[in-house]
Amino acid sequence: MMKFLLCALLFITAYPIHAAKPDLILAKEYRQQNIKGWMMSEKVDGVRAYWDGKQLISRQGNVFTPPAGFTRDFPPFAVDGELYAGRGTFERVSAAVRSSSGDWRGIRLHIFDVPHAKGSLKQRLAVAQKYITAHPNINMVVLPQIEVRDIQHARQFLRQIEQGGGEGVMLRNPSTAYVGGRSDNLLKLKSAHDAECVVTKHHQGKGKYADMLGAISCKNELGEFRIGSGFTDADRRNPPKIGSVITYKYRGFTSKGLPRFATYWRKR
């Protein structure tokens, strides 16, 4: 009996807890759309998280396990945001939130929408702000939003963020409701774009990389393509596994619709 209980305990702790995968709104790239009157905010480089009123859920449907008390003051309604601790902290935050014993100090959920609230984006975020104001010790903050005058205004904001070590700008149509899926009402504005793909092959290196990884093949909705740059020597000795998801950077698209100058950035 004791052996059975021990095995059961090991099974429970060895696998992540899953929930229904949240239907999150996903961004498209800015491509000369008219964004006058939209709202813009910094694209914080953290880990996407959806609070469903009871638990924190990842984009893939995994339930985060924050320290006791972290979500004690969280609202009884759903909010969408990013677990974030400041610029340049992605690796630390990612490691912390994906561990059952991670260090969550300094991490807060930065809210950029309240999916089930009524009204415009401004009205929806006001619901979250009112709740946060009434709970001053909450590990949650509403991400500041700025109304866009024109694309020059947005690009000026982008330069300020990038000069400070930030990643980019998110543009939101404030008059539309929150609808899950890839949306024309949520856009990314960055000097260099990034996206995710699944690793499908490893290619042996040549020359100084003869005994290491030379390149990987990767696949997403655009098709299958090769990435051979951006890897450190440590990455080449221990490359991302086949079947794993990575993030890459790129600059535009080829005539075949594949990412141009795709460069490895990091494992998801």
Side-chain angles (χ1 to χ4, degrees), residues 93-225:
V93 172
S94 180
V97 304
R98 299 182 193 285
S99 168
S100 60
S101 57
D103 181 2
W104 285 57
R105 285 178 296 182
I107 299 174
R108 291 193 292 177
L109 184 61
H110 288 63
I111 303 305
F112 41 70
D113 214 324
V114 182
H116 304 309
K118 296 180 180 180
S120 65
L121 175 65
K122 184 177 181 179
Q123 291 170 319
R124 297 196 300 271
L125 289 177
V127 172
Q129 187 58 62
K130 181 178 179 181
Y131 185 90
I132 290 170
T133 300
H135 298 80
N137 296 319
I138 195 171
N139 293 309
M140 185 182 289
V141 62
V142 172
L143 201 60
Q145 303 287 331
I146 301 170
E147 185 172 348
V148 180
R149 295 192 299 270
D150 50 36
I151 185 55
Q152 288 75 23
H153 183 205
R155 291 196 184 280
Q156 181 183 28
F157 184 50
L158 173 64
R159 285 194 296 273
Q160 292 174 357
I161 289 173
E162 291 181 334
Q163 289 170 0
E167 184 184 359
V169 173
M170 298 302 297
L171 303 162
R172 292 178 171 81
N173 185 340
S175 62
T176 57
Y178 184 105
V179 179
R182 197 69 62 181
S183 177
D184 292 316
N185 296 304
L186 177 63
L187 306 175
K188 292 186 290 187
L189 176 63
K190 303 175 67 175
S191 294
H193 306 300
D194 65 78
E196 294 179 341
C197 60
V198 177
V199 179
T200 56
K201 295 177 185 176
H202 289 165
H203 302 280
Q204 187 72 25
K206 297 179 181 179
K208 67 176 182 178
Y209 298 132
D211 297 324
M212 294 186 281
L213 177 79
I216 62 171
S217 286
C218 215
K219 189 174 184 179
N220 59 15
E221 68 276 8
L222 299 174
E224 189 168 18
F225 50 93

Side-chain angles (χ1 to χ4, degrees), residues 247-268:
T247 304
Y248 64 92
K249 293 186 177 183
Y250 66 100
R251 292 184 179 273
F253 299 93
T254 68
S255 59
K256 295 182 179 180
L258 297 176
R260 187 187 300 276
F261 306 127
T263 303
Y264 175 77
W265 185 14
R266 63 193 181 198
K267 298 176 184 177
R268 190 175 70 183

